[in-house]
Amino acid sequence: MARVVVGLSGGVDSSVAALLLKQQGHEVIGMYMRNWHNADVTIGNECPWIDDSNDAMLVAEKLGIPFQVIDLSEAYHHRIVEYMFAEYAAGRTPNPDVLCNREIKFDVFLEAALKLGADYVATGHYCRKAEVEVDGKLVFQLLSGLDLNKDQSYFLCQIKQEQLAKALFPIGGLQKAEVRKLASDAGLHTAGKKDSQGLCFVGKVKLPVFLQQQLQPKPGTVIEIPATHPKLQHRDMNALGINCPIDWQRKDGVSVGTHQGAHFFTVGQRKGLQIGGLAEPLFVLQTDTNENLVFAGQGVEHPGLYTNGLFIARNDVHWIREDLALDVGMDMDVLLRIRYRQTPFPARLLYTDEGMYIRFETPQKSVTPGQFAAWYVDGALLGSGAITC
């Protein structure tokens, strides 16, 4: 049996992960990651870290396993929070949960666990791990969770082989209802606890308040782009047949209102514009943080919300399955996700000297720079990358 450190979040999923490992005879240690100290930006009663830490401690006591709190707030601020500020300031929309798994859970936290003599770290993610042999070498696969409504493999799309080698996902083969029943049968008080939302091990955050810690309000103009604009009717294609990003200019539309800073908005966003009196709601099509402009269009079906592909810069292309990485000039048919809980859709990877072009079989909505595109084959997540455009 192995020594396993479980990242106890205070939720039902990690609680049952620890329960199953204990039942399997492993030496289990519970550890709560304290990533946050500032309560000013968190929404009360939405997974506050103090309550979660206490819940994690009570689960550990019930299971009879050692428990400790580890303060990773300095690393979290440096690697995640500063990254978020920089991305928003540049007009991109970051995904802190993907980075939290790569930089915190399976890096700093993993290192702390190994110092305790751990053989593995375990989490309550709904995903699975498998092994295959390639040219006589053991290679690890990251597989989708069997509960397709809860599959969280997307959030692990940036981890590496050496991190995956030390990871365990005890609940990845279970349905959520089964997890809650196991917790209830074992008398764990987290059995009926609502699923947490928001930042990794932090909770739900008031995003405008959070961003205004570093990014100051900067009033600017909202420009409405008509659905019949010529640039939309005759969109340029690159040599690979992918829609080139439209370089919207102030002159392409009309001013319909003001905003408090282009860096506070993201592609596809509806709430927050606070502009009424139009036939249909406005959705953000694009932001320009240099000129402090927000371009928007009326209606959920506005053609400016859709594109038939995306691009990932070469330095941002990451392969979990390095043995399957494409060489320049190669392509691959995959299923793609560009956000969590999205049903994977058919696409083709095209690797070039510049980076990875991905062409969709059918146009997709709200492709957002800064978010991650993750590609799958036969239920295995092979790689990912931060979307450039």
Side-chain angles (χ1 to χ4, degrees), residues 77-97:
H77 189 275
H78 176 66
R79 298 195 190 191
I80 309 301
V81 175
E82 290 182 4
Y83 151 82
M84 289 181 67
F85 286 140
E87 287 290 279
Y88 276 108
R92 294 185 293 268
T93 304
N95 192 313
D97 285 315

Side-chain angles (χ1 to χ4, degrees), residues 4-23:
V4 184
V5 171
V6 180
L8 284 179
S9 68
V12 64
D13 298 328
S14 61
S15 300
V16 172
L19 169 68
L20 293 176
L21 291 166
K22 181 75 183 296
Q23 290 176 343

Side-chain angles (χ1 to χ4, degrees), residues 58-204:
L58 291 173
V59 167
E61 288 180 353
K62 180 68 175 178
L63 297 178
I65 62 174
F67 175 76
Q68 61 179 279
V69 175
I70 181 172
D71 192 330
L72 301 179
S73 56
E74 184 176 345
Y76 188 88
H77 189 275
H78 176 66
R79 298 195 190 191
I80 309 301
V81 175
E82 290 182 4
Y83 151 82
M84 289 181 67
F85 286 140
E87 287 290 279
Y88 276 108
R92 294 185 293 268
T93 304
N95 192 313
D97 285 315
V98 171
L99 267 293
C100 180
N101 283 309
R102 187 184 77 185
E103 301 288 337
I104 304 299
K105 287 183 184 177
F106 293 99
D107 191 322
V108 183
F109 179 73
L110 173 60
E111 183 178 339
L114 294 177
K115 288 180 180 178
L116 292 177
D119 300 298
Y120 299 98
V121 295
T123 67
H125 283 104
Y126 285 85
C127 60
R128 295 169 295 144
K129 172 180 157 183
E131 302 173 356
V132 293
E133 187 174 306
V134 179
D135 297 330
K137 179 182 177 182
L138 191 63
V139 175
F140 296 96
Q141 295 178 297
L142 179 63
L143 305 177
S144 300
L146 291 187
D147 188 335
L148 298 182
N149 290 320
K150 294 294 295 181
D151 174 35
Q152 294 172 311
S153 57
Y154 174 82
F155 288 135
L156 298 171
C157 67
Q158 284 277 295
I159 68 172
K160 303 174 183 177
Q161 274 289 308
E162 53 265 35
Q163 296 170 317
L164 190 53
K166 293 292 185 180
L168 295 176
F169 309 111
I171 67 169
L174 300 175
Q175 302 293 309
K176 181 73 178 194
E178 294 177 295
V179 169
R180 289 202 182 277
K181 186 176 187 307
L182 286 170
S184 179
D185 290 346
L188 301 180
H189 76 289
T190 55
K193 188 174 180 180
K194 183 174 66 173
D195 288 345
S196 64
Q197 296 178 337
L199 299 183
C200 170
F201 271 69
V202 173
K204 201 167 185 179

Side-chain angles (χ1 to χ4, degrees), residues 208 211-212 214-220 259-264 292:
L211 292 177
Q212 286 172 23
Q214 294 289 330
L215 307 178
Q216 297 302 313
K218 184 180 179 182
H259 59 78
Q260 292 303 305
H263 45 265
F264 294 137
N292 196 32

